Amino acid sequence: MQRFPEYLLAGYRSFMAGRYTAERDRYVELADHGQQPHTLLIACCDSRAAPEIIFNSSPGELFVVRNVANLIPPYAPDGSHHATSAAIEYAIQVLKVANVVIMGHGRCGGIQAALSPSFTPLSDGDFIGDWMGLLKPAAEQIQTSSLLTAGERQTALERVSIRNSVNNLRSFPFVREREKAGEVHIHGAWFDISSGELWVMDGDSGDFIRPQV
Amino acid sequence: MQRFPEYLLAGYRSFMAGRYTAERDRYVELADHGQQPHTLLIACCDSRAAPEIIFNSSPGELFVVRNVANLIPPYAPDGSHHATSAAIEYAIQVLKVANVVIMGHGRCGGIQAALSPSFTPLSDGDFIGDWMGLLKPAAEQIQTSSLLTAGERQTALERVSIRNSVNNLRSFPFVREREKAGEVHIHGAWFDISSGELWVMDGDSGDFIRPQV
Amino acid sequence: MQRFPEYLLAGYRSFMAGRYTAERDRYVELADHGQQPHTLLIACCDSRAAPEIIFNSSPGELFVVRNVANLIPPYAPDGSHHATSAAIEYAIQVLKVANVVIMGHGRCGGIQAALSPSFTPLSDGDFIGDWMGLLKPAAEQIQTSSLLTAGERQTALERVSIRNSVNNLRSFPFVREREKAGEVHIHGAWFDISSGELWVMDGDSGDFIRPQV
Amino acid sequence: MQRFPEYLLAGYRSFMAGRYTAERDRYVELADHGQQPHTLLIACCDSRAAPEIIFNSSPGELFVVRNVANLIPPYAPDGSHHATSAAIEYAIQVLKVANVVIMGHGRCGGIQAALSPSFTPLSDGDFIGDWMGLLKPAAEQIQTSSLLTAGERQTALERVSIRNSVNNLRSFPFVREREKAGEVHIHGAWFDISSGELWVMDGDSGDFIRPQV
């Protein structure tokens, strides 16, 4: 029989001996009474930007969606299978989270693919091409900014994409209502993998700035 | 201006003073040379089952998709926006991960919704209803198991769903080829939030068993 | 003359030199004053799941019925020879035990036979077929759960069977009365031969959970 | 929720810390490869005469039926639910045990009931009365032995009953065939709770004698 990867089991042993043992009561409590996360966090799949690590969060705090490039598609109640929209609906309507954070990060492979002038489909299905197509108009505009360096275009699209997702999130009627009622707050964030810097989006201007931490 | 949540900033301060400071070289290295995660991990959004915590993993190890109930849809190259399929394509074709782990967990809200005989849409869009529709045939069969308790039906569907996702994953031609060539290995896992137990799927029988850790 | 098996005599010598010598007073006392076991335990004949070993119990503690698959038939005062019902009557009415425990276990051969789609009688008498017929409706329902693995169907029926026996036990008027008066308590348990895990039945939901031991 | 009895959990803890830990490999092996007990042992439910304790046996050695007064009913393939016959069929036909041991013991409550001249049913169902009815002709004859003391009559019926069960066992065609072929051996034994003495039945004469141990 195929073995479960040993390095994952080794990590699990560390978890059980360490964190689980220390937080056992919390886990039992969370199992018995259910989760009440304060925040829906939409992040990228990237292995270098795990939200629970960056925010040093405890079990039960963050309800986390992770897709390539942390995208939120626009509201589209068309009966097909929408992974991200389903998670948003559950977080807002059932868990009633107080915050939604869309967190992008530097050196994002999905954003890089979206900006690549010579992008070739990664498989016959071209799933990345279709998925990053959500950013197509933005990517096309950024690509014409010939005065920006490649790195600047990448960072620019990473941040444009977060603002785009914020707008798409507001296209969901139940999000808009809850935000209007002051029951949910929407935030953008951007993480620099190399320096560890966290930048947060100014809700008024859309600028990304370094919070006083 | 709307403030970024203070508890997230407090967590970020802890991260910077602790883990980032300790692992700065690793972060810089990962930023400079890109990620090479060994594992694609498909997990649930649930705030109580973060993969990086359960496997005590370091930055750069796990490429993580999180959607409600850790579902993988079947291969459907239809040009629409498939969050999960795009992440799988990227992990297999670009990152060339050696392992894929589909991790479910106990007390999953999505699974509970799928089994609820009186489920009412959570919004006009009914996104959770449509998303969990991926499990509809399985849920309908499990619902008829009247001799099982509600808890047993829930655990049963949580595990059936993992096997279902394994099968769907194999419907992607590029996954099938890589697996046949012995270049990628597919695993199932199930986490018990209360006890912290990890159960892994026997690849032959599909049974979930406790690994010797 | 046919010899009594040597390995049983060897085991008996160990008993006399060890446990009997250590507990001689207890044996004499139990012989002089009769047994007053606290618990009626209904277990399977399986050689791997002896109650006195699993509960490390002393002589005089457990009144033990063992039949294939630890079944309790429904109350049937029809004048025929009911091994299990007779033991229950004696334990409740004469010994006045405070607890009844029905203990099943994993990999039960009787349950396996009940689930086997191609079961052929083991002899002309078909005694196993008739005995496991007590579980026929349950076995038939579980057999239709095609999404469960063979192992999962087996575990499911092992546990359904315990709940079934609990229900049948309550069909005995004298049990029902004693339970209603708070004088006897009914419990279910399930033992995993491989891991040694003991799971106990939640009296309210019927779920099997691991007790905090 | 009703608690599982604490003294049973305490005993289970001792088992896990002691015997299970010491014999873990054996338990895993027995789970993986199935049981192959050498002996079918038919004993009484009495809390003072557990076979695994008296023969100091290890997991996997004894397939154990326990009913009141260790009775074997005669072969009766009538389609009703025969607990003891089913266990015999399984042990002989599936497990192919090499030995069958019928073990009685002193101060047996069932035998005492069978001999009681003023026995009143223990419940409306009179299950003990019906079950011990298997010994009725023998009990009636012993009751007339007015020269024997009450204690002698009790011991006499305990032993007559074992010989009776040996005869009934041989009424099963598949047992008779296997015995004739030399593949199974049938033994009687009687345990004295007070002194710990084991007496075994001489297969030729039917006498109970103390083996050289």
Side-chain angles (χ1 to χ4, degrees):
Chain A
M1 173 192 141
Q2 170 176 292
R3 287 274 301 159
F4 199 76
E6 178 53 35
Y7 40 75
L8 292 178
L9 290 179
Y12 172 66
R13 278 192 290 271
S14 302
F15 162 68
M16 284 306 283
R19 191 146 180 180
Y20 179 78
T21 299
E23 300 194 82
R24 184 193 308 261
D25 289 352
R26 185 179 178 91
Y27 275 101
V28 171
E29 162 88 13
L30 282 167
D32 287 353
H33 297 99
Q35 62 177 332
Q36 291 191 295
H38 50 66
T39 297
L40 162 62
L41 205 150
I42 292 148
C44 182
C45 301
D46 194 292
S47 64
R48 301 165 294 181
E52 288 86 355
I53 293 180
I54 294 169
F55 295 110
N56 193 35
S57 62
S58 295
E61 291 191 335
L62 305 179
F63 188 78
V64 177
V65 174
R66 292 180 71 177
N67 59 38
V68 172
N70 40 274
L71 303 185
I72 296 178
Y75 180 69
D78 55 14
S80 56
H81 308 305
H82 293 287
T84 305
S85 303
I88 291 168
E89 187 188 67
Y90 191 81
I92 299 290
Q93 301 291 79
V94 175
L95 300 176
K96 303 194 184 305
V97 295
N99 291 289
V100 182
V101 174
I102 298 155
M103 180 173 78
H105 67 96
R107 300 162 206 248
C108 177
I111 296 291
Q112 194 174 26
L115 281 174
S116 168
S118 60
F119 178 76
T120 49
L122 301 176
S123 80
D124 288 350
D126 192 19
F127 294 105
I128 278 288
D130 288 339
W131 177 246
M132 296 310 301
L134 283 165
L135 279 186
K136 199 168 183 187
E140 285 175 350
Q141 188 187 107
I142 301 282
Q143 277 169 328
T144 65
S145 303
S146 58
L147 293 177
L148 299 188
T149 68
E152 286 169 343
R153 283 195 296 271
Q154 166 101 11
T155 303
L157 187 56
E158 284 163 3
R159 296 180 174 184
V160 165
S161 164
I162 294 167
R163 288 194 291 268
N164 208 46
S165 287
V166 166
N167 289 339
N168 285 345
L169 181 59
R170 289 194 172 117
S171 70
F172 288 74
F174 53 88
V175 174
R176 214 161 44 223
E177 284 164 27
R178 294 283 303 285
E179 191 185 26
K180 200 174 164 190
E183 290 165 1
V184 71
H185 300 278
I186 299 174
H187 309 273
W190 182 90
F191 177 71
D192 181 312
I193 289 167
S194 184
S195 67
E197 287 178 3
L198 182 76
W199 297 64
V200 302
M201 192 184 83
D202 179 309
D204 297 326
S205 67
D207 281 324
F208 279 78
I209 54 173
R210 306 213 28 218
Q212 297 189 330
V213 290
Chain B
M1 171 189 139
Q2 174 175 288
R3 285 276 300 161
F4 199 75
E6 176 53 34
Y7 40 75
L8 291 178
L9 291 179
Y12 172 67
R13 278 192 291 270
S14 302
F15 162 68
M16 285 307 282
R19 194 148 180 178
Y20 178 78
T21 298
E23 299 195 83
R24 183 193 310 260
D25 290 352
R26 186 180 178 92
Y27 275 102
V28 171
E29 160 88 14
L30 282 167
D32 288 353
H33 296 99
Q35 61 177 333
Q36 290 192 296
H38 51 67
T39 297
L40 161 61
L41 206 152
I42 293 147
C44 183
C45 302
D46 194 291
S47 64
R48 302 164 295 179
E52 289 85 356
I53 293 180
I54 293 169
F55 294 112
N56 194 35
S57 60
S58 296
E61 291 192 333
L62 305 179
F63 188 79
V64 178
V65 173
R66 292 179 70 176
N67 61 40
V68 172
N70 39 275
L71 303 185
I72 295 179
Y75 180 69
D78 54 13
S80 56
H81 307 305
H82 292 287
T84 305
S85 303
I88 291 168
E89 188 187 65
Y90 192 80
I92 298 289
Q93 301 292 77
V94 174
L95 300 176
K96 301 194 183 305
V97 294
N99 291 288
V100 182
V101 175
I102 299 155
M103 181 173 79
H105 67 96
R107 300 157 205 253
C108 178
I111 296 290
Q112 195 174 25
L115 282 173
S116 168
S118 60
F119 178 77
T120 48
L122 302 175
S123 79
D124 289 348
D126 193 19
F127 293 104
I128 279 288
D130 289 338
W131 177 244
M132 296 311 300
L134 283 166
L135 279 186
K136 197 169 186 187
E140 285 175 350
Q141 189 189 104
I142 301 284
Q143 276 169 331
T144 66
S145 301
S146 60
L147 293 173
L148 301 187
T149 66
E152 288 171 340
R153 284 194 295 271
Q154 165 105 9
T155 302
L157 188 56
E158 285 162 2
R159 294 177 175 187
V160 164
S161 164
I162 294 167
R163 289 195 290 267
N164 209 44
S165 286
V166 166
N167 289 340
N168 285 346
L169 181 58
R170 290 195 172 117
S171 70
F172 289 73
F174 55 86
V175 173
R176 215 162 44 225
E177 283 164 27
R178 293 284 304 283
E179 191 186 26
K180 202 176 165 189
E183 292 166 359
V184 72
H185 301 277
I186 299 175
H187 309 272
W190 182 89
F191 177 71
D192 182 313
I193 289 168
S194 185
S195 67
E197 288 178 2
L198 182 76
W199 298 64
V200 302
M201 194 184 82
D202 178 310
D204 297 326
S205 67
D207 282 322
F208 281 76
I209 56 174
R210 306 214 19 223
Q212 297 191 331
V213 290
Chain C
M1 171 192 139
Q2 172 176 290
R3 286 275 299 161
F4 198 77
E6 177 54 34
Y7 41 73
L8 291 178
L9 290 179
Y12 172 66
R13 279 192 291 271
S14 301
F15 162 68
M16 285 306 284
R19 191 147 181 179
Y20 178 78
T21 299
E23 300 194 82
R24 185 193 309 262
D25 289 354
R26 184 178 179 93
Y27 275 102
V28 171
E29 162 88 14
L30 283 166
D32 288 353
H33 296 100
Q35 63 177 331
Q36 290 192 297
H38 51 66
T39 297
L40 161 61
L41 204 150
I42 292 146
C44 183
C45 301
D46 195 291
S47 63
R48 302 165 294 180
E52 289 86 355
I53 293 180
I54 293 169
F55 295 110
N56 194 34
S57 61
S58 296
E61 290 191 334
L62 305 179
F63 188 78
V64 178
V65 174
R66 291 179 70 176
N67 60 38
V68 172
N70 41 274
L71 302 185
I72 296 178
Y75 181 68
D78 55 13
S80 55
H81 308 305
H82 293 285
T84 306
S85 303
I88 291 167
E89 187 188 66
Y90 191 81
I92 299 289
Q93 300 292 77
V94 175
L95 300 175
K96 302 193 183 306
V97 294
N99 291 290
V100 181
V101 175
I102 298 156
M103 180 172 78
H105 67 96
R107 299 159 206 250
C108 179
I111 296 290
Q112 195 174 24
L115 281 174
S116 168
S118 60
F119 178 77
T120 49
L122 302 176
S123 80
D124 289 349
D126 193 18
F127 294 105
I128 279 288
D130 289 338
W131 177 245
M132 297 310 301
L134 282 165
L135 278 185
K136 197 169 185 185
E140 285 175 349
Q141 187 190 103
I142 302 284
Q143 276 169 329
T144 65
S145 301
S146 59
L147 294 174
L148 301 187
T149 67
E152 288 170 343
R153 285 195 293 271
Q154 167 102 10
T155 303
L157 187 57
E158 285 163 2
R159 295 179 173 185
V160 165
S161 166
I162 294 167
R163 289 194 290 267
N164 209 45
S165 286
V166 166
N167 289 340
N168 284 345
L169 181 58
R170 290 195 172 117
S171 70
F172 289 74
F174 54 89
V175 173
R176 215 162 42 224
E177 283 163 26
R178 293 283 304 284
E179 190 186 25
K180 201 175 164 189
E183 291 164 2
V184 72
H185 301 278
I186 299 174
H187 309 273
W190 183 88
F191 177 71
D192 182 312
I193 289 167
S194 185
S195 67
E197 289 178 2
L198 182 75
W199 298 63
V200 303
M201 194 184 82
D202 178 310
D204 297 326
S205 67
D207 281 322
F208 281 77
I209 54 173
R210 305 208 29 216
Q212 296 190 332
V213 291
Chain D
M1 172 189 141
Q2 173 175 289
R3 285 275 302 159
F4 199 76
E6 178 53 35
Y7 40 76
L8 292 178
L9 289 180
Y12 172 67
R13 278 191 291 270
S14 302
F15 162 68
M16 284 306 282
R19 192 148 182 179
Y20 178 78
T21 298
E23 300 195 82
R24 185 193 307 260
D25 289 352
R26 186 181 178 90
Y27 275 102
V28 171
E29 162 88 13
L30 283 166
D32 287 352
H33 297 98
Q35 62 177 332
Q36 290 191 296
H38 51 66
T39 296
L40 161 61
L41 205 152
I42 293 147
C44 182
C45 302
D46 195 292
S47 64
R48 301 164 295 180
E52 288 86 356
I53 294 180
I54 294 170
F55 295 111
N56 193 35
S57 61
S58 296
E61 290 192 335
L62 305 179
F63 188 79
V64 178
V65 174
R66 293 180 70 176
N67 60 39
V68 172
N70 40 275
L71 302 185
I72 295 178
Y75 181 70
D78 55 13
S80 56
H81 307 304
H82 293 286
T84 306
S85 303
I88 292 169
E89 188 188 66
Y90 191 81
I92 299 290
Q93 301 292 77
V94 174
L95 300 175
K96 303 194 182 304
V97 295
N99 292 289
V100 181
V101 175
I102 299 155
M103 182 173 77
H105 66 97
R107 303 160 203 250
C108 177
I111 297 291
Q112 195 173 25
L115 282 173
S116 167
S118 61
F119 177 77
T120 48
L122 302 176
S123 80
D124 290 349
D126 193 19
F127 294 104
I128 278 289
D130 289 337
W131 177 246
M132 297 310 301
L134 283 166
L135 278 185
K136 198 170 186 186
E140 285 175 350
Q141 189 188 106
I142 301 283
Q143 276 170 330
T144 67
S145 301
S146 59
L147 292 176
L148 300 186
T149 67
E152 288 169 340
R153 283 196 295 273
Q154 166 102 11
T155 303
L157 188 56
E158 285 163 2
R159 293 177 175 186
V160 164
S161 164
I162 293 167
R163 289 194 289 270
N164 207 47
S165 286
V166 167
N167 289 339
N168 285 345
L169 181 59
R170 290 197 172 116
S171 69
F172 288 74
F174 54 87
V175 173
R176 214 162 45 226
E177 284 164 28
R178 293 285 303 284
E179 190 185 26
K180 203 175 163 188
E183 292 166 359
V184 72
H185 301 278
I186 299 174
H187 309 273
W190 181 90
F191 177 71
D192 182 312
I193 288 167
S194 184
S195 67
E197 287 178 3
L198 182 76
W199 297 63
V200 302
M201 193 184 81
D202 178 311
D204 298 327
S205 68
D207 280 327
F208 280 77
I209 56 173
R210 307 221 13 225
Q212 297 189 331
V213 290

